């Protein structure tokens, strides 16, 4: 082997050793935080791999990126009775934090989570976590949030509007109060349509008119709150709504007659409100397959033709004076 070849081998070996040491040192930066998290959880067996002199690949359910830093933490279906460890906020390269189906988990979301400046996906679902949403989360990089079915209370911090890429927010089945922030989710595109799910809380006030300018939505669901006012701006033929609009169980009041349905909308529930006018003719050409307009103040003859034939009487029950198929015929002269 020539001198140049020997030199090349030496350099490559040195580079590999240096890279390995560098990654090991980087990994060592997160191990103290993991050990602290384990202790704050009460040292459960699920985190037995989080101990000194262990390598990154053995830290499940924590997972490292190519630089040996903890980027993902998945805590699912663990039988742990504890509060959320504030030390999670020390994993400064964390991008995904997913905590699902841990009913023994209680107490507030630590304010230290606001230190996770790389955090993009944040899920806390089906737990007993309570208290208010920390405003410090506005310092993260959140794009998708799900706080589905917890015991969260208080208002939704307006500071979350500062998150530039937040397009999905689900806090359904909690005890949140107050208004919906005007730009809680925003900037939807055909590739990343917006999703806002706030069902079964105690939210009040009007639905912010700023959502009139969001053309690409997957789901807008705010059922069973205390919302009032006009929500007709959520509709329009120019909008691309590929899934659900559910406004049921509120105190919304607006004229439905001339509302133009988004052509791709598949699920529409406006029941149990104070909506008046008539059933919009635009439903005939839409792709709505599930419809509920019951328990409102609608009146007049139900349009026929197109897709209207698929809707049963239950979709129109308990309105002021609707008539025509599938309800009884309209009186002569109506």
């Amino acid at each position: 082997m020539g001198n140049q070849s020997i030199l090349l081998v030496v350099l490559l070996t040195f580079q590999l050793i240096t890279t390995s040491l560098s990654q090991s040192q980087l990994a060592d930066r997160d191990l103290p935080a993991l050990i602290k998290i384990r202790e704050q959880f009460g040292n459960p067996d699920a985190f037995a791999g989080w101990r000194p002199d262990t390598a990154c690949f053995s830290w499940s359910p924590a997972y490292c990126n190519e630089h040996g830093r903890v980027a993902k933490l998945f805590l699912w279906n663990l039988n742990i009775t504890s509060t959320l460890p504030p030390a999670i906020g020390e994993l400064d390269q964390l991008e995904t934090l997913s905590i699902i189906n841990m009913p023994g988990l209680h107490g507030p979301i630590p304010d230290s989570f606001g230190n996770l400046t790389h955090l993009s996906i944040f899920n806390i679902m089906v737990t007993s976590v309570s208290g208010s949403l920390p405003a410090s989360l506005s310092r993260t990089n959140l794009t998708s949030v799900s706080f589905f079915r917890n015991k969260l209370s208080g208002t939704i911090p307006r500071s979350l509007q500062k998150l530039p890429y937040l397009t999905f927010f689900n806090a359904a089945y909690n005890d949140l109060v107050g208004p919906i922030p005007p730009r809680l989710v925003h900037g939807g595109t055909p590739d990343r349509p917006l999703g806002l799910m706030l069902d079964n809380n105690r939210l009040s006030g009007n639905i912010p008119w700023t959502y009139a300018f969001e053309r690409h939505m997957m789901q807008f669901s705010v059922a069973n709150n205390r919302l009032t006012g006009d929500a007709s701006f959520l509709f329009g033929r120019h909008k691309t709504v590929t899934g659900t609009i559910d406004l049921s169980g509120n105190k919304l009041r607006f004229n439905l007659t001339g509302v133009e349905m988004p052509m791709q909308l598949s699920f529409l529930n406006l029941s149990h409100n104070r909506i008046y006018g008539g059933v919009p003719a635009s439903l005939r050409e839409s792709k709505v397959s599930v419809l509920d307009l019951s328990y409102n103040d609608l009146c007049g003859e139900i349009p026929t033709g197109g897709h209207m034939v698929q809707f049963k009487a239950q979709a129109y029950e308990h309105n002021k004076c609707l008539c025509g198929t599938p309800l009884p015929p309209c009186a002569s002269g109506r």
Side-chain angles (χ1 to χ4, degrees), residues 64-82:
C64 297
N65 59 23
E66 64 272 19
H67 304 295
R69 302 297 306 278
V70 173
K72 298 180 181 180
L73 182 59
F74 298 103
L75 308 177
W76 295 357
N77 306 314
L78 299 177
N79 185 19
I80 295 175
T81 300
S82 170

Side-chain angles (χ1 to χ4, degrees), residues 13 146 201:
T13 303
S146 184
N201 282 281

Side-chain angles (χ1 to χ4, degrees), residues 7-28:
L7 180 60
L8 180 60
V9 170
V10 170
L11 288 174
L12 288 174
T13 303
F14 177 77
Q15 185 177 10
L16 286 171
I17 293 172
T18 304
T19 301
S20 178
L21 288 172
S22 176
Q23 291 186 351
S24 176
Q25 290 168 353
L26 285 171
D28 287 345

Side-chain angles (χ1 to χ4, degrees), residues 26-210:
L26 285 171
D28 287 345
R29 290 178 57 184
D30 289 327
L31 188 55
L34 290 179
I35 293 173
K36 195 181 298 184
I37 293 166
R38 186 193 67 201
E39 293 171 347
Q40 291 175 357
F41 265 133
N43 293 305
D45 292 340
F47 310 129
W50 298 356
R51 62 183 188 275
D53 303 318
T54 56
C56 186
F57 62 81
S58 66
W59 293 349
S60 175
Y63 300 91
C64 297
N65 59 23
E66 64 272 19
H67 304 295
R69 302 297 306 278
V70 173
K72 298 180 181 180
L73 182 59
F74 298 103
L75 308 177
W76 295 357
N77 306 314
L78 299 177
N79 185 19
I80 295 175
T81 300
S82 170
T83 56
L84 273 170
I88 291 175
E90 298 178 21
L91 298 171
D92 59 15
Q93 297 299 305
L94 197 65
E95 298 172 5
T96 299
L97 175 57
S98 193
I99 302 168
I100 298 175
N101 194 27
M102 294 179 60
L105 204 60
H106 57 274
I109 299 173
D111 194 61
S112 63
F113 285 17
N115 297 330
L116 302 172
T117 55
H118 294 275
L119 188 64
S120 175
I121 299 172
F122 186 18
N123 302 319
I124 300 180
M125 301 169 61
V126 194
T127 76
S128 298
V129 169
S130 60
S132 58
L133 294 173
S136 64
L137 292 177
S138 63
R139 302 199 303 265
T140 65
N141 192 40
L142 288 173
T143 62
S144 175
V145 171
S146 184
F147 297 136
F148 173 79
R149 202 177 287 277
N150 298 291
K151 297 181 179 179
L152 297 169
S153 59
T155 60
I156 302 172
R158 289 180 66 92
S159 62
L160 297 185
Q161 298 177 137
K162 299 176 183 178
L163 293 164
Y165 308 113
L166 185 61
T167 57
F168 184 89
F169 190 93
N170 182 353
Y173 291 89
N174 282 283
D175 198 28
L176 299 171
V177 299
I180 300 172
R183 288 178 54 81
L184 182 56
V185 292
H186 53 88
T189 65
D191 295 330
R192 292 195 64 183
L194 301 181
L196 181 62
M197 285 77 85
L198 297 170
D199 315 66
N200 293 277
N201 282 281
R202 293 189 293 128
L203 299 169
S204 58
N206 293 350
I207 296 174
W209 63 271
T210 46

Side-chain angles (χ1 to χ4, degrees), residues 231-289:
S232 60
F233 53 79
L234 294 174
F235 301 89
R237 283 188 181 272
H238 65 290
K239 293 197 173 188
T240 303
V241 184
T242 56
T244 296
I245 293 180
D246 190 347
L247 310 180
S248 61
N250 285 286
K251 300 178 182 179
L252 299 168
R253 182 166 175 79
F254 58 91
N255 189 338
L256 190 62
T257 307
V259 166
E260 295 285 346
M261 292 293 143
M263 295 304 295
Q264 303 299 316
L265 182 66
S266 61
F267 181 105
L268 177 62
N269 191 344
L270 302 179
S271 66
H272 293 85
N273 278 288
R274 300 171 181 176
I275 299 169
Y276 61 94
V279 176
S282 60
L283 274 170
R284 287 185 295 214
E285 288 77 40
S286 74
K287 294 185 178 180
V288 172
S289 59

